[in-house]
């Protein structure tokens, strides 16, 4: 599949030929990366796959859930509008964990997506459809959303580049909310250069989003500099939770960075168990509030054989939501309930502040932090037997969302045919720094 940079050089006939090639490949693919009827927003613009929780006007948007079947988006998300202004356009909806809740893309109403590197393994989640499409050669590039690693983890599992921008750098207007203080739209691409191109296309201030940072649109692609020397923090204490192949890849990456002239600094981070606890209290609390709107009155599916309003709510939500979504709504309602709000939610917010302070303290002494993306390579669909096991897959990614910082994942090694990704974490709004160091690593490895 041509890269985004290569596609930019095509004329209208070339773009049309590319789209026909994509349609052929998608029709033959068994990855289940795309869902619903394949739609093309504008035949003259460069095709970008769109995760099924980002609004595209006139398209069905379901968030991988039964409860939203048949709902048509009435407007474009700001990220989609920005894409169109930059010469790109939505092309197909990609599969995802229901309402972005999961690390496998197996909780989708449309069935599981397969990892193109090994079809017995998960592609990661929740943006697994976007990552699988890019890695499987059936998308030039894609948009995903990252609440606790949902861009970086599938990018790592599938061997792509994934960027989670700083909170507020890309408008959330038109992104169906899971956890409003954590969600962020970002690119999944074949390489770092494409990642910079797509990030520049979607980022910028938006008056429709009250959390949008009032900053000029970035120009990271034109300013890419792979020769910069940086101070890079490493976190050896975190490696105790990782498999040996991840630990080896981490050390190889450190050695590569050291050989390239970067200064390596050892740092310590808060125990991951506190980060996991704080994250799942906060995100489920926000999810229980955000998903209250899906009640059968205004959006999507409505249950039948109803006797009263209470029946409408109970039957619609019982039939419409999957097990993982119900689990998180229940947990979120519990931690927000009277008697438990102070004990859990307020305490989690205090830990969140501590996590942000720790990251900022480390980043005062260095330019970026190097960390694993996941404690293992892509695992089999039957290997993650309990919800708690699945939650632990996010130990290296969720802290970045809690702190609102940017991070980029890129493939650095392979183990038995399965990619291993590492992530660089930067100061707020330092996407340029992350893209520069990631580009240098990518070029050195190639």
């Amino acid at each position: 599949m041509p890269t985004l940079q290569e596609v930019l050089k095509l004329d209208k006939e070339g773009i049309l030929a590319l789209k026909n090639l994509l349609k052929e490949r998608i029709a033959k693919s068994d990855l289940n990366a795309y869902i619903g009827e394949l739609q093309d927003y504008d035949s003259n613009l460069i095709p970008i796959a769109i995760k099924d929780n980002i609004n595209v006007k006139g398209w069905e948007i379901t968030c991988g859930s039964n409860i939203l079947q048949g709902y048509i988006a009435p407007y474009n998300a700001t990220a989609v509008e920005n894409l169109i202004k930059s010469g790109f356009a939505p092309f197909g909806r990609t599969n995802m964990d229901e309402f972005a809740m999961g690390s496998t893309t197996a909780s989708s109403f449309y069935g599981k997506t397969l990892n193109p590197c090994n079809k017995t393994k998960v592609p990661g989640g929740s943006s697994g459809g976007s990552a699988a499409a890019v890695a499987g050669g059936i998308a030039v590039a894609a948009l995903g959303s990252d609440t606790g690693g949902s861009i970086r983890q599938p990018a790592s599992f599938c061997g792509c580049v994934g960027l989670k921008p700083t909170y507020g750098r890309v408008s959330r207007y038109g992104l169906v909310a899971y956890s409003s203080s954590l969600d962020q739209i970002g690119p999944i691409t074949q390489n770092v250069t494409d990642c910079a191109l797509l990030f520049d296309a979607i980022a910028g201030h938006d008056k429709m989003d009250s959390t949008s940072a009032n900053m000029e649109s970035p120009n990271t692609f034109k300013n890419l500099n792979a020769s910069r020397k940086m101070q890079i923090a490493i976190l050896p204490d975190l490696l105790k939770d990782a498999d040996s192949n991840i630990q080896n890849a981490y050390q190889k990456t450190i050695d590569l960075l050291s050989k390239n002239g970067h200064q390596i600094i050892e740092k310590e981070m808060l125990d991951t168990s506190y980060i996991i606890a704080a994250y799942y209290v906060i995100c489920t609390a926000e999810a229980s509030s955000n998903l209250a709107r899906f009640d059968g009155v205004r959006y999507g599916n409505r249950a039948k054989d109803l006797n009263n309003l209470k029946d409408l709510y109970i039957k619609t939500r019982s039939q419409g939501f999957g097990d993982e979504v119900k689990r998180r709504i229940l947990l979120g309602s519990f931690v927000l309930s009277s008697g438990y709000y102070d004990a859990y939610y307020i305490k989690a917010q205090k830990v969140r502040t501590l996590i942000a302070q720790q990251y900022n303290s480390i980043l005062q002494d260095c330019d970026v932090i190097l960390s694993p993306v996941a404690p293992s390579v892509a695992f089999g669909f039957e290997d993650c037997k309990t919800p708690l096991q699945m939650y632990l897959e996010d130990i290296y990614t969720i802290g970045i969302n809690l702190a609102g910082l940017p991070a980029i994942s890129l493939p650095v090694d392979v183990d038995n045919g399965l990619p291993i990704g590492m992530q660089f974490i930067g100061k707020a709004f330092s996407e340029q720094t992350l893209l520069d160091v990631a580009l240098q690593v990518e070029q050195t490895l190639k």
Side-chain angles (χ1 to χ4, degrees), residues 60-83:
E60 188 177 21
I61 176 172
T62 68
C63 299
S65 179
N66 181 33
I67 204 167
L68 277 176
Q69 293 300 305
Y71 177 67
I72 305 300
Y75 64 95
N76 281 331
T78 299
V80 170
E81 287 289 342
N82 289 346
L83 272 183

Side-chain angles (χ1 to χ4, degrees), residues 17-29 38 91 137-138:
L18 171 65
K19 288 186 173 181
N20 289 333
L21 173 65
L22 281 170
K23 289 174 183 176
E24 289 175 15
R25 288 190 177 182
I26 292 166
K28 294 176 182 176
S29 174
L38 187 66
F91 184 83
I138 52 175

Side-chain angles (χ1 to χ4, degrees), residues 112-185:
K112 61 190 179 186
T113 296
L114 308 181
N115 189 323
C117 302
N118 183 332
K119 293 177 183 176
T120 67
K121 307 294 184 182
V122 302
S126 61
S127 306
S130 292
V134 173
I138 52 175
V140 177
L143 290 187
S145 67
D146 193 310
T147 305
S150 293
I151 286 174
R152 290 160 288 152
Q153 189 236 31
S156 174
F157 281 5
C158 294
C160 308
V161 174
L163 174 67
K164 181 262 166 194
T166 308
Y167 184 77
R169 200 68 172 98
V170 178
S171 172
R172 291 185 300 109
Y173 181 71
L175 172 69
V176 179
Y178 159 23
S179 181
S180 305
S181 71
L182 302 169
D183 299 338
Q184 189 67 115
I185 296 172

